[in-house]
Amino acid sequence: MSYVDRVIAETEEKNRNQPEFLQTVREVLNSLRPIVDRDPKYEKAGILERIVEPEKSIIFRVPWVDDEGNVRVNRGYRIQFSSSIGPYKGGLRFHPSVNVSIIKFLGFEQIFKNSLTGLPIGGGKGGSDFDPKGKSDSEIMRFCQSFMTELYRYIGPDTDCPAGDIGVGAREIGFLYGQYKRIRGAYEAGALSGKGLAYGGSLGRSEATGYGAVYFTEEYFKTIGKEIAGTTFAISGFGNVSWGVCKKISELGGKVVTLSGPDGYIYDSEGITGEKIDYMLEMRASCRDMVKDYADRFHVEYHAGEKPWGRVNADIYMPCATQNDVHKEDAQRILEEGHSKILIEVANMPTTQEAVDLLSENGVVILPSKAVNAGGVAVSSLEMSQNAEHLSWTKEEVDAKLREIMQNIFHSIDDVSARYGCPGNYIAGANLAGFQKVAEAMLAQGVC
Ligand code: NDP
Ligand code: 2IT
């Protein structure tokens, strides 16, 4: 049995009820064969066995009191996966679907994503099964304060720096930081990123994931003679990431024609621009969680219970909502519709393995999320740098750095995929390129 096969089998055995985690482990390890099967030093040093095991997993009780005076209890998580190349870094997700498998899949992805940015950040992820929907601001604050009352002992600017993800935006980061500061008795701004501009946040962080995804796309487009201007995009979600994607695509003259929510999708043939983009923020802030509101407000098509994949005429599909959003039947529809040959993943792991296989076998190019969405964590890391030097950079400075980072990521995964004999397989390229630096650091640091 090869080294990769053995470690996959052992990981499956040890983590039987963690499907999302196993999904990413299989994808990543399978694509590392050209490196780890060629040189026995990786097996000798147990690199793969170590990389699939989090350095530390913290699971804690989060008790809080709702507005009616009832005691509620949620479960909190922080999985500190790898500190080989820097302090743990990765978001916090508040969503009822959160469990160990989801947090471990996100933390594992984060190791390679963070390495791709070229910045000194390790991989981690956390969150809670708390559902922010329908909660008052006071309830959100009490929950965040209770969550941080336990989490604070494990984080810090040189230890672990959490940020936002699904269900955790500027409001939650504010409450979390306030409690952290109070407990620590010190202004350690670099202990959290995604902070407000008034208290140590970076200009450009809220747009960073979406803008970064579009800069990455631009760089890829150069290799196929395409431009954002004049290109039509079908995207999913209507959260922070979708908002940034819409803003930048519309600024560059492209057209986003769909958004989706848990209730269905909307089709806006005119494109999502101007006040419609601002309305996305309102929709999210309302906590109603219905994309139908957009259709009612702007009188466009609404399709209840459906996803846009393969149902609209678009040049590019861009899932921006959550994991496993594009299934095999969606991939089948994309192929039958026949217009688009490019899927750009922006949400973390938005495509099932079956869908990836079907699309790839039929000539659809897939740009993988751990490369495409790395702009968010990259600007988070730039926020940490600004905090460390007690300075704020201009929006232009941050944006120029973000663009350069995304361009470098594209070229690094493009080069590496060619070097290891799979040109154009950007999924493998991202895993191989992300792994190289982490493995080198692990080899240098001995068994730890
Ligand atoms: P938001 O909370 O702002 O938006 C998430 C969107 O996805 C909402 O429309 C949400 O609707 C939908 N969604 C979430 N979970 C589910 C589910 N289980 N089923 C159906 N729809 C769902 O999050 P972000 O925009 O920040 O994140 C979007 C994606 O991008 C996620 O995969 C995240 O991990 C990834 N990402 C985010 C980064 C960031 O900086 N924010 C950085 C890199 C990646 P609802 O809540 O109603 O289900
Ligand atoms: O998935 C991700 O990369 C994020 N949610 C952003 C993490 C961060 O630390 O900014």
Side-chain angles (χ1 to χ4, degrees):
M1 195 186 258
S2 78
Y3 180 35
V4 166
D5 289 329
R6 175 170 66 76
V7 176
I8 290 179
E10 287 169 5
T11 311
E12 286 170 341
E13 182 62 30
K14 275 194 193 169
N15 303 277
R16 283 169 188 274
N17 51 2
Q18 297 177 10
E20 293 84 4
F21 175 55
L22 292 175
Q23 183 180 339
T24 170
V25 166
R26 287 188 199 106
E27 182 216 282
V28 172
L29 266 53
N30 274 318
S31 61
L32 297 182
R33 291 177 197 275
I35 292 185
V36 297
D37 284 350
R38 275 186 204 170
D39 190 334
K41 74 179 176 195
Y42 296 100
E43 183 163 10
K44 193 154 175 274
I47 295 291
L48 296 184
E49 294 88 329
R50 287 195 279 144
I51 215 166
V52 297
E53 193 63 34
E55 289 176 14
K56 193 181 284 175
S57 304
I58 304 139
I59 302 186
F60 51 99
R61 181 170 71 192
V62 190
W64 56 283
V65 179
D66 70 19
D67 286 345
E68 280 73 49
N70 304 306
V71 174
R72 306 268 204 111
V73 179
N74 286 98
R75 192 169 284 175
Y77 302 87
R78 187 71 185 166
I79 306 276
Q80 299 181 326
F81 232 112
S82 166
S83 62
S84 297
I85 62 169
Y88 309 108
K89 181 87 198 83
L92 297 171
R93 177 177 291 193
F94 292 170
H95 196 274
S97 62
V98 163
N99 56 34
V100 178
S101 176
I102 300 274
I103 299 297
K104 280 178 70 180
F105 117 65
L106 290 162
F108 189 67
E109 289 279 294
Q110 203 83 43
I111 303 173
F112 305 94
K113 178 196 308 193
N114 293 3
S115 167
L116 285 172
T117 65
L119 299 165
I121 38 179
K125 199 84 187 189
S128 175
D129 57 0
F130 173 75
D131 188 356
K133 253 164 260 157
K135 304 290 188 300
S136 69
D137 278 1
S138 311
E139 289 176 322
I140 301 271
M141 182 179 76
R142 287 195 293 274
F143 175 81
C144 289
Q145 289 176 338
S146 179
F147 185 87
M148 186 52 84
T149 301
E150 185 58 35
L151 185 69
Y152 87 94
R153 51 187 111 242
Y154 306 104
I155 66 171
D158 296 316
T159 321
D160 183 355
C161 174
D165 191 81
I166 291 178
V168 178
R171 174 183 57 171
E172 290 75 17
I173 294 291
F175 294 146
L176 290 163
Y177 186 67
Q179 184 73 353
Y180 177 81
K181 179 169 64 69
R182 191 174 176 204
I183 300 176
R184 296 294 289 189
Y187 208 98
E188 296 175 348
L192 278 175
S193 65
K195 297 182 296 298
L197 294 178
Y199 63 95
S202 174
L203 284 159
R205 175 61 186 92
S206 33
E207 291 90 351
T209 311
Y211 280 23
V214 179
Y215 295 152
F216 185 93
T217 302
E218 263 188 318
E219 205 57 21
Y220 164 66
F221 273 10
K222 286 183 193 161
T223 68
I224 55 168
K226 227 175 155 56
E227 285 187 352
I228 303 286
T231 300
T232 303
F233 297 79
I235 78 169
S236 62
F238 60 85
N240 168 262
V241 171
S242 312
W243 167 78
V245 163
C246 287
K247 262 179 88 162
K248 188 48 88 179
I249 287 179
S250 127
E251 185 190 312
L252 296 175
K255 194 151 91 168
V256 178
V257 291
T258 65
L259 295 175
S260 77
D263 56 324
Y265 81 92
I266 61 98
Y267 176 70
D268 186 343
S269 61
E270 301 288 303
I272 297 158
T273 52
E275 60 156 334
K276 295 170 174 174
I277 298 177
D278 299 336
Y279 185 67
M280 290 172 75
L281 295 177
E282 266 181 58
M283 277 181 4
R284 203 153 56 100
S286 80
C287 287
R288 279 169 50 76
D289 219 13
M290 288 178 66
V291 79
K292 180 174 183 296
D293 291 352
Y294 182 101
D296 293 343
R297 167 82 184 254
F298 298 110
H299 312 291
V300 300
E301 283 179 33
Y302 168 66
H303 300 267
E306 289 184 351
K307 294 177 179 190
W309 320 129
R311 290 200 164 96
V312 299
N313 195 327
D315 303 313
I316 309 286
Y317 288 109
M318 252 190 174
C320 300
T322 190
Q323 68 277 352
N324 293 332
D325 183 0
V326 183
H327 288 256
K328 192 175 179 186
E329 53 274 23
D330 301 310
Q332 191 65 50
R333 231 182 301 106
I334 289 175
L335 294 173
E336 281 160 14
E337 198 270 341
H339 188 72
S340 176
K341 285 283 177 205
I342 301 168
L343 178 88
I344 302 180
E345 298 186 330
V346 193
N348 284 306
M349 200 171 75
T351 322
T352 66
Q353 191 59 49
E354 293 73 27
V356 168
D357 293 342
L358 186 64
L359 292 169
S360 313
E361 281 157 18
N362 287 281
V364 172
V365 173
I366 302 178
L367 302 184
S369 53
K370 63 171 73 65
V372 177
N373 73 28
V377 75
V379 174
S380 271
S381 181
L382 301 182
E383 182 174 331
M384 292 168 78
S385 304
Q386 293 169 73
N387 294 153
E389 59 179 19
H390 302 281
L391 289 174
S392 308
W393 305 343
T394 63
K395 194 161 197 155
E396 291 69 32
E397 243 176 308
V398 175
D399 194 55
K401 285 191 165 66
L402 170 64
R403 192 184 277 256
E404 193 186 338
I405 289 168
M406 298 316 296
Q407 290 171 341
N408 289 342
I409 296 177
F410 175 73
H411 291 294
S412 121
I413 72 171
D414 192 32
D415 292 349
V416 169
S417 68
R419 186 166 351 123
Y420 287 101
C422 45
N425 181 344
Y426 296 115
I427 297 179
N431 292 332
L432 288 160
F435 175 74
Q436 279 179 329
K437 190 165 124 187
V438 177
E440 194 187 321
M442 290 174 78
L443 287 165
Q445 291 168 11
V447 179
C448 59

